[in-house]
Amino acid sequence: MGSSVADGAKLQPSRAGSRLCVRCGERKAALKRPKTLEQICRECFYIVFEDEIHQTIVDNSLFKSGERVAIGASGGKDSTVLAYVLSELNRRHNYGLDLFLLSVDEGITGYRDDSLETVKRNEIQYGLPLKIVSYKDLYGWTMDDIVKAIGLKNNCTFCGVFRRQALDRGAALLKADKIVTGHNADDIAETVLLNILRGDIARLSRCTFITTGEDGPIPRCKPFKYTYEKEIVMYAYFKKLDYFSTECIYSPNAYRGFAREFIKDLERMRPRAILDIIKSGENFRISTTTKMPEQGTCERCGYISSQRLCKACVLLDGLNRGLPKLGIGRTKAGDGKEHAKHSERSTSSLQGKHGNFDF
Amino acid sequence: MHLTLEFGGGLELLLKSSTKVHKVEVPPKDGEGKVTMKGLLSWVKANLIKERPEMFVKGDSVRPGVLVLINDCDWELCGGLDAELEEKDVVVFISTLHGG
């Protein structure tokens, strides 16, 4: 971020509102922490920000020494800060992790090609090797091709389903033991609300887990589960980290947008609301009479699936047969037998539009 | 009053000229000789924003999720909307609302 102009400003005499850091009592406070409402200086902020993430990693035993860890990197603020902080902590606390960046190229001209340039710079800046997997290579379709075929409705469903698998497949290709993603506290609170709004009990019960997929080949974890978005952005700003911030050209994703705005409004009134929503999500007890989808594997590609075919294979089938609506919502297009069965067994957990987040 | 404004996190895309740093001259309100953050926001909305003002302001404040720093200090510590700006202050606006 080009903030060189801001540097000279520190020389100015402090204004009436400026106060001292509550932690060191020496330097001028630079921000108000949403989590604690404490006013702290930049140096103390770096320390508490990094320490809290380290504590989250230790308390939840997120990693074991010697593990090969793929950092899901989009070039955006969260994954950029995650890559930076994780490589710092790995050195500082001798985690013994073999870290690398893993990016997915969805094939969106004017969006992902630009953000991948950011990831390529991060590769050099942080000295982390980078692997890019593309929808084109994995599925034979770019998102640009998919949008041409299906239009701007439902395209986020394709992208969300494909991205989740793409990260897993990329990680498998690189023999990773674990994937970490940059989902932050605000994202998780938002997802708790969305899953309530959709009645998606299966996802509601697992969206607050810090690690998921422990029964699968490559578990995923979220070291920023308790980290506020405001602090991530402040950290990136103060440290002048290089990140990319443009909205995806195909993604209006209005429903999630409303939930996000609601959370941000709550945060302004009472910043703790974000942690409290996560806490509520963690403490839901799902009634034992609720039928949960059973996890199996896809007959075609072997990916985890609660159906005979995984969602990506169903969507891909539709695209390749010129029936792109196949697998979207409750449509029973295509071959009746297989699909009628599909629809009957489908629970809401497999149907919603999941936008950009993979939970 | 001479101010330097910086827009980041995608907010620069809403401006008439999509550069991040803008050196501007903001007139004080009605001979009071003062520019408050509240006054600055309405000036920015009227003079710099080209499209989708709702991504930047909501009511008379910034949209929740937009971070504001005055001389690299969180505006929540400087009085928020009532903060009084001084000559040559640097005000930074960063949107947090884009994916990560």
Side-chain angles (χ1 to χ4, degrees):
Chain A
M1 307 191 52
S3 53
S4 51
V5 285
D7 281 333
K10 279 178 286 186
L11 301 170
Q12 292 217 346
S14 55
R15 67 188 59 228
S18 47
R19 292 166 257 188
L20 289 178
C21 171
V22 296
R23 197 168 171 276
C24 66
E26 286 171 14
R27 288 174 294 257
K28 202 183 136 205
L31 84 153
K32 190 168 170 185
R33 299 199 69 200
K35 204 181 274 191
T36 59
L37 305 181
E38 288 169 315
Q39 52 200 44
I40 57 172
C41 69
R42 209 191 269 219
E43 288 74 11
C44 289
F45 169 58
Y46 295 154
I47 295 171
V48 293
F49 181 88
E50 292 161 6
D51 276 358
E52 282 181 10
I53 294 159
H54 171 62
Q55 214 48 55
T56 302
I57 289 170
V58 172
D59 291 349
N60 296 280
S61 317
L62 293 190
F63 308 115
K64 286 200 257 324
S65 182
E67 275 182 336
R68 201 166 144 69
V69 177
I71 304 169
S74 66
K77 57 185 164 51
D78 301 303
S79 57
T80 299
V81 173
L82 181 64
Y84 178 86
V85 170
L86 210 50
S87 54
E88 279 292 310
L89 294 177
N90 190 34
R91 269 193 292 274
R92 189 181 304 163
H93 299 286
N94 299 313
Y95 291 164
L97 302 179
D98 180 10
L99 297 171
F100 65 96
L101 301 169
L102 174 59
S103 293
V104 177
D105 182 0
E106 297 93 343
I108 304 175
T109 312
Y111 170 65
R112 188 53 88 208
D113 43 358
D114 291 349
S115 64
L116 285 175
E117 289 308 312
T118 311
V119 184
K120 286 174 192 163
R121 288 196 298 276
N122 292 160
E123 175 183 24
I124 299 161
Q125 289 155 350
Y126 310 150
L128 297 170
L130 165 67
K131 165 74 185 176
I132 300 174
V133 289
S134 73
Y135 283 8
K136 185 75 185 169
D137 291 345
L138 289 175
Y139 309 110
W141 292 74
T142 65
M143 270 315 284
D144 287 340
D145 296 335
I146 293 173
V147 169
K148 262 184 220 139
I150 66 161
L152 284 170
K153 226 179 146 189
N154 296 321
N155 56 316
C156 295
T157 303
F158 283 84
C159 200
V161 170
F162 285 175
R163 184 178 319 102
R164 187 178 176 85
Q165 276 210 12
L167 264 188
D168 281 330
R169 292 196 191 184
L173 224 60
L174 288 153
K175 304 196 167 32
D177 299 301
K178 223 157 248 174
I179 299 172
V180 291
T181 59
H183 293 104
N184 60 46
D186 300 50
D187 295 331
I188 294 170
E190 183 184 306
T191 305
V192 169
L193 279 188
L194 281 174
N195 286 330
I196 292 172
L197 295 175
R198 292 177 181 134
D200 191 334
I201 306 305
R203 280 199 172 78
L204 178 59
S205 62
R206 65 172 184 257
C207 73
T208 54
F209 293 172
I210 194 162
T211 302
T212 52
E214 279 170 301
D215 45 345
I218 308 174
R220 287 186 176 216
C221 62
K222 306 187 256 267
F224 285 170
K225 179 182 170 186
Y226 301 109
T227 308
Y228 275 67
E229 189 159 65
K230 173 181 173 180
E231 296 201 347
I232 291 171
V233 175
M234 283 287 193
Y235 188 88
Y237 173 76
F238 287 143
K239 290 254 181 188
K240 305 200 188 320
L241 301 184
D242 178 12
Y243 71 90
F244 177 84
S245 48
T246 302
E247 200 70 73
C248 173
I249 51 173
Y250 294 137
S251 153
N253 207 346
Y255 203 58
R256 187 175 273 277
F258 283 127
R260 163 130 305 206
E261 186 134 357
F262 178 61
I263 298 241
K264 290 291 175 193
D265 284 338
L266 290 177
E267 181 189 17
R268 179 169 281 181
M269 284 178 274
R270 201 177 68 89
R272 284 258 349 152
I274 289 178
L275 286 183
D276 288 343
I277 292 170
I278 297 176
K279 196 173 172 198
S280 301
E282 286 172 341
N283 287 298
F284 277 123
R285 289 288 169 270
I286 309 302
S287 132
T288 48
T289 57
T290 304
K291 213 175 149 216
M292 300 290 257
E294 273 172 50
Q295 294 287 329
T297 51
C298 172
E299 277 180 15
R300 189 168 303 162
C301 73
Y303 191 75
I304 44 160
S305 172
S306 53
Q307 309 290 324
R308 198 173 65 75
L309 292 180
C310 74
K311 190 77 175 166
C313 283
V314 173
L315 291 174
L316 208 51
D317 240 12
L319 282 174
N320 291 332
R321 288 160 56 193
L323 299 163
K325 295 255 162 31
L326 205 65
I328 301 278
R330 288 167 206 283
T331 322
K332 288 186 190 178
D335 55 355
K337 196 178 154 206
E338 179 181 312
H339 243 268
K341 188 178 157 203
H342 218 109
S343 302
E344 275 164 34
R345 289 185 53 201
S346 281
T347 65
S348 57
S349 67
L350 292 158
Q351 289 177 343
K353 293 180 195 123
H354 304 301
N356 289 331
F357 290 85
D358 309 316
F359 280 97
Chain B
M1 182 178 289
H2 288 89
L3 298 173
T4 301
L5 309 182
E6 192 185 319
F7 297 84
L11 286 176
E12 65 277 14
L13 303 172
L14 309 176
L15 306 177
K16 283 174 186 158
S17 74
S18 59
T19 47
K20 291 195 171 197
V21 180
H22 292 246
K23 302 228 177 236
V24 296
E25 173 72 38
V26 181
K29 201 180 160 190
D30 307 332
E32 283 175 32
K34 285 187 283 191
V35 176
T36 61
M37 274 306 298
K38 195 172 171 179
L40 177 65
L41 288 178
S42 61
W43 186 88
V44 167
K45 192 181 168 190
N47 293 279
L48 296 184
I49 303 274
K50 179 184 67 183
E51 55 181 277
R52 291 179 289 160
E54 71 280 3
M55 300 288 286
F56 180 64
V57 286
K58 184 171 178 179
D60 59 5
S61 189
V62 292
R63 179 181 179 193
V66 173
L67 304 182
V68 184
L69 296 103
I70 304 169
N71 300 329
D72 269 1
C73 177
D74 188 350
W75 78 326
E76 291 182 43
L77 298 178
C78 312
L81 280 174
D82 298 324
E84 282 179 17
L85 297 169
E86 290 164 19
E87 188 68 20
K88 294 204 171 67
D89 273 353
V90 179
V91 183
V92 177
F93 300 96
I94 311 170
S95 174
T96 65
L97 298 166
H98 291 292

